[in-house]
Amino acid sequence: MENAVKRIGVLTSGGDSPGMNAAVRAVVRTALSRGIDVIGIRRGWSGLISGDVFRMDGDSVAHIINRGGTILYTARCEEFKTEEGQQKAVATCKLLGIDGVVAIGGGGTFRGCLALSRHGISVVGIPGTIDNDIGCTHYSIGYDTAANTAIEAIDRLRDTMQSHERCSVVEVMGHRAGNLALYVGIATGATAVLMPEHPWDFQKDVAERIRNARLHGKSHFMIIVAEGAFNNDEIMKNPGSAAKVAEMIHEELGIEPRVTVLGHIQRGGCPNARDRVTATRMGYWAVECLAAGKNNRVVCHQGGTICDMDMEEALEVPHSISASEERVLQAMTGFEG
Ligand code: F6P
């Protein structure tokens, strides 16, 4: 069957995530195997606006499946939110003969995809964010690697917290999403997990849990706090969510927690097997969509299967926290003895 596109562009946008390179590689290799040309676009939508692009061949993606970060660089682009910026990007596509674009990133990236497709360029989005906060897909590239990075760090913290009989307050990424905090909290046997999606009460959800754990003979405690747990940008920046929770613990219980902010460490590192394989499957799927003449789609992971969904519908699916993971956490942390 003839391809519906002849030359496609590929870009990564927004916060990077481990596995983005594997997705870029899969896009390039799948396209080339179908006789479709590939143009690499640097720094996300900014590169499309300024024409910062290069031709990608098979060698350009050699030895990157195992590399963290993104060889295409990434950026958050304000100019692309304007009509003028979008017109410039369309002009680049027309000039270079790009008739399809694969964009790898999070929700912001997908809103950019929508804008471009409204200007007549075929687009397919691939979910790549460690936050795993895109409602239409059960999984976004980078989540598992980031979770494992956080878990490894927290396991180390636990050793020293246990020796000194201390309380540790650890901040994990997630400005508007607590998925990573919840997942990591379950995996590390946390005393409490605080997330932005649900209102929480310091007395009930932190102080009582620490008291309860103490009553059951525990002398070290692990509190996991999502970056955006307070739903308050001021606290997030100053002093930071984990620092604020530690302050509250100190005031209420008289203990002096140690605060660790894992920060951007969670975004780096070699992608693990799950992220490499998912990224490769998604990259392949994105090119198949464009080749088949599909436009305005998001590649999704649902129940173990890769599929695609209309971009507008996808953007309307609200982000949510896994209810079953929450119940499990509740059972693990709210024990009575
Ligand atoms: O990629 C998403 C995310 O990791 C959020 O969890 C975090 O709030 C944000 O990116 C930080 O982004 P940056 O510091 O790179 O702007």
Side-chain angles (χ1 to χ4, degrees):
M1 204 175 65
E2 209 186 317
N3 296 315
V5 287
K6 295 199 163 34
R7 174 171 290 180
I8 63 170
V10 57
L11 60 85
T12 50
S13 165
D16 63 354
S17 67
M20 278 185 164
N21 278 328
V24 171
R25 173 181 177 272
V27 168
V28 172
R29 296 257 157 110
T30 309
L32 296 180
S33 73
R34 280 181 152 278
I36 298 170
D37 289 345
V38 189
I39 303 293
I41 301 159
R42 294 191 186 92
R43 299 176 189 85
W45 302 116
S46 330
L48 200 57
I49 289 173
S50 63
D52 189 359
V53 301
F54 64 106
R55 182 81 178 260
M56 298 190 84
D57 59 17
D59 285 348
S60 64
V61 289
H63 314 301
I64 66 164
I65 194 167
N66 57 330
R67 279 173 58 189
T70 159
I71 61 160
L72 294 178
Y73 305 99
T74 184
R76 294 187 170 95
C77 178
E78 286 305 312
E79 194 182 354
F80 193 65
K81 291 180 184 160
T82 67
E83 177 60 27
E84 205 189 332
Q86 290 161 19
Q87 291 292 356
K88 285 186 195 165
V90 172
T92 306
C93 292
K94 297 260 155 72
L95 183 73
L96 298 172
I98 295 175
D99 43 15
V101 170
V102 177
I104 307 160
T109 305
F110 295 166
R111 278 184 285 279
C113 289
L114 208 53
L116 195 64
S117 87
R118 285 188 182 131
H119 287 86
I121 310 290
S122 296
V123 287
V124 176
I126 295 180
T129 162
I130 67 160
D131 292 348
N132 201 23
D133 61 346
I134 303 172
C136 64
T137 180
H138 293 157
Y139 192 78
S140 68
I141 297 166
Y143 181 57
D144 203 48
T145 304
N148 279 293
T149 302
I151 290 164
E152 195 190 325
I154 293 167
D155 284 347
R156 286 167 198 259
L157 280 171
R158 180 189 281 279
D159 291 345
T160 170
M161 292 302 129
Q162 189 262 328
S163 311
H164 288 263
E165 301 182 279
R166 278 175 173 156
C167 174
S168 191
V169 183
V170 182
E171 187 172 304
V172 302
M173 271 194 163
H175 188 163
R176 291 194 182 76
N179 306 56
L180 191 61
L182 175 59
Y183 194 61
V184 164
I186 292 173
T188 54
T191 314
V193 179
L194 306 179
M195 300 166 272
E197 286 84 351
H198 296 302
W200 46 273
D201 174 73
F202 175 75
Q203 283 301 334
K204 181 171 148 290
D205 298 311
V206 182
E208 259 179 45
R209 293 222 160 117
I210 294 178
R211 287 194 187 101
N212 196 24
R214 261 182 180 161
L215 280 177
H216 289 89
K218 278 203 152 192
S219 59
H220 66 279
F221 317 100
M222 182 64 69
I223 314 297
I224 308 290
V225 180
E227 204 180 4
F230 284 88
N231 264 318
N232 177 328
D233 284 349
E234 273 318 298
I235 292 178
M236 219 182 94
K237 284 187 219 125
N238 182 26
S241 304
K244 181 75 189 156
V245 171
E247 227 176 78
M248 293 160 88
I249 293 174
H250 186 213
E251 271 169 31
E252 177 67 25
L253 300 164
I255 53 180
E256 285 183 25
R258 293 298 190 261
V259 175
T260 306
V261 178
L262 294 179
H264 290 80
I265 281 181
Q266 296 157 101
R267 289 234 300 253
C270 299
N272 66 15
R274 180 166 187 194
D275 283 318
R276 293 182 198 194
V277 174
T278 307
T280 303
R281 291 175 71 192
M282 286 183 164
Y284 166 84
W285 196 275
V287 175
E288 290 293 306
C289 283
L290 288 173
K294 289 188 183 179
N295 174 22
N296 216 14
R297 310 294 293 177
V298 180
V299 180
C300 303
H301 190 276
Q302 285 169 359
T305 305
I306 305 291
C307 55
D308 56 275
M309 191 174 172
D310 176 74
M311 182 75 71
E312 272 175 76
E313 275 174 35
L315 281 171
E316 271 168 26
V317 182
H319 147 67
S320 64
I321 282 282
S322 156
S324 62
E325 282 181 14
E326 265 200 300
R327 282 194 297 276
V328 169
L329 179 79
Q330 185 60 32
M332 296 299 116
T333 55
F335 66 94
E336 298 298 334

